[in-house]
Amino acid sequence: MTVRRDLVVVGGGITGLAAAWEASERDGVSVTVVEAGDRLGGKIRTSPITLPDGTTLRIDEGADAFLARVPDAVRLCEELGLGDELTSPAVGRAKVLVDGELRFLPARTVLGVPLDLDELEAAGLLSPAGLEEVRAGDDPSEPPLEGDVAIGPFLTGRFGRELVDRVVGPLIGGINAGDVDELSLRAVTPQLADAAEEGGSLAEALRRKVPATTDAPVFHALLDGTGRLVEVLAERLDERGVELRTGTRVERIEGADGEGGLRLRLVTGSGSTQDVEAAAVLVATPAPAAAELLEALSPEAAGELRSITHSSPVLVTLVHHRGDVPAPLDASGFLVPRDAGRFATAASFGSTKWAHWDDGEHVVLRVSAGHSADRRPDAMSDEEVVEAIRADLEEVLGITAEPLAARVSRYPDGFAQYEVGHLDRVERIEAALARDVPGLAVAGAAYRGVGIPACIRQGRGAARRLLGAPSN
């Protein structure tokens, strides 16, 4: 028997779940979410780490926070009744590993672009020659930005290469597990692109847009982990009558006979099949999976989807006795420049950053490795990855003791790389789908933003468009 639904969402990550939440607010709309894996949430996952004494710590495996100033995640938490569970970092400033030492990032920066040159000098991140490049650069007669450019070369022309290598690259490249010399200024750092469109001094344009001081938090987290958002969202969707199907993959999508719409062939883990007809379909899977599903429906969109490159970072969580960590953990963590010769790309001092992770006895560290130009973790076992991370931590933080617990979380081809021209590619994908399959859309971290708020915004917006509701 063929089931008929108003909206089928393919992919049960936060984008797909947010789309289902938006759609289910409308009376009489039937929604099904289909997830190939055995759990919902995608890269959002909070899971327990058990220590030798039986103590259990719930620690995020992926994102441990989301931007506070971007309203989408905060708004969704409030709609779900999670507003009282929001918290902010106890320590906000990070450090950078420079010349073998950890030094604080200046507070007055925008994505690594310094707004206070005296503060930058005091931070000790740049050599005298590098500081002089920054001071001498940023020409007030620069013409307005046109088109798209790579972040690294653009900022090198304004502030010199040393600032890019030691500050901008570790920060932006670390967040995106990518190379700032390839990443798009417009897609990855729209705040910088908007300022550059004004022409003149980039730093001065940013100063006009950024308040001199603010007490508002930059990030929020949930006291029981970001996985709490997924758990409660799934519960509320179930209460609304949304069908949530895990362990079920979509084998194909094709046009339905009769009055339009689309037909999906679903296959469970046991091999049983079912056809579902949908008035609208949102594909909220990673881009490679979306390309496979759309090949027959829109070859042009599928080809563009396949051209999006990806990196495969790993995240290692380590728990130590507090007494086994000799270095002062007086920051939220540290970033690692690519030329530092380290395996790790960044480390978060989790039990310093988050008060609710600090039990007074243990130190929680989350360390990233791997990026678009470093695929070494792919060929390494979990044990080898942990040993490589421990070697870095021994040199940087002086930790020689074995951890009480270690966990490796892998994200194979998990981070889409927004290279120069990325937004134009996304527009071509959307235009091809609008022409070839009007009732189908794509959304998610491969397109218009990688963070939790951006994915929520994309999912909810796609649901409104597909169901004919006005965007806001």
Side-chain angles (χ1 to χ4, degrees), residues 55-258:
T55 301
T56 298
L57 305 176
R58 277 179 57 83
I59 305 296
D60 294 305
E61 293 197 45
D64 61 352
F66 44 82
L67 284 169
R69 67 174 181 271
V70 181
D72 303 85
V74 175
R75 182 183 301 130
L76 181 57
C77 286
E78 291 172 345
E79 291 174 12
L80 295 170
L82 297 174
D84 291 342
E85 298 182 31
L86 292 172
T87 188
S88 301
V91 176
R93 292 182 65 189
K95 291 183 173 181
V96 182
L97 183 64
V98 173
D99 297 331
E101 297 182 8
L102 294 179
R103 302 173 187 177
F104 275 107
L105 279 169
R108 290 277 290 159
T109 70
V110 176
L111 298 170
V113 175
L115 304 186
D116 185 329
L117 298 187
D118 291 336
E119 185 189 21
L120 176 64
E121 181 176 7
L125 298 175
L126 304 186
S127 68
L131 279 168
E132 182 55 34
E133 278 194 287
V134 174
R135 292 187 182 278
D138 203 24
D139 187 346
S141 65
E142 285 281 353
L145 174 69
E146 295 183 3
D148 195 12
V149 294
I151 298 166
F154 174 77
L155 292 181
T156 295
R158 296 292 184 106
F159 301 105
R161 189 66 202 183
E162 195 167 275
L163 181 77
V164 171
D165 288 341
R166 295 190 174 189
V167 181
V168 176
L171 179 61
I172 297 175
I175 293 171
N176 295 274
D179 183 350
V180 292
D181 286 339
E182 303 291 338
L183 295 174
S184 158
L185 187 78
R186 290 192 181 277
V188 176
T189 57
Q191 194 172 4
L192 299 185
D194 290 346
E197 285 182 339
E198 296 183 10
S201 165
L202 180 64
E204 185 55 39
L206 291 170
R207 290 188 193 102
R208 291 193 296 268
K209 296 173 180 290
V210 177
T213 59
T214 179
D215 295 327
V218 176
F219 294 101
H220 279 317
L222 286 162
L223 289 171
D224 201 30
T226 51
R228 172 80 170 150
L229 173 60
V230 172
E231 292 165 5
V232 175
L233 181 51
E235 291 172 3
R236 296 289 300 279
L237 287 170
D238 182 65
E239 291 170 3
R240 288 183 171 187
V242 173
E243 182 185 24
L244 302 172
R245 301 185 59 164
T246 57
T248 303
R249 64 182 177 87
V250 178
E251 184 177 69
R252 66 176 181 268
I253 304 174
E254 59 190 9
D257 297 333

Side-chain angles (χ1 to χ4, degrees), residues 261-342:
L262 295 161
R263 179 183 291 110
L264 299 88
R265 170 61 59 88
L266 309 186
V267 182
T268 68
S270 64
S272 63
T273 63
Q274 181 184 37
D275 286 345
V276 175
E277 289 189 1
V281 173
L282 174 63
V283 178
T285 67
E292 288 190 24
L293 288 174
L294 299 177
E295 181 62 57
L297 290 168
S298 179
E300 181 182 345
E304 294 284 4
L305 286 162
R306 288 195 180 91
S307 69
I308 299 174
T309 62
H310 294 74
S311 61
S312 302
V314 298
L315 180 64
V316 178
T317 303
L318 302 171
V319 182
H320 283 273
H321 280 301
R322 185 169 295 278
D324 289 337
V325 183
L329 303 182
D330 54 355
S332 61
F334 65 87
L335 307 171
V336 183
R338 295 287 164 83
D339 61 3
R342 302 292 176 186

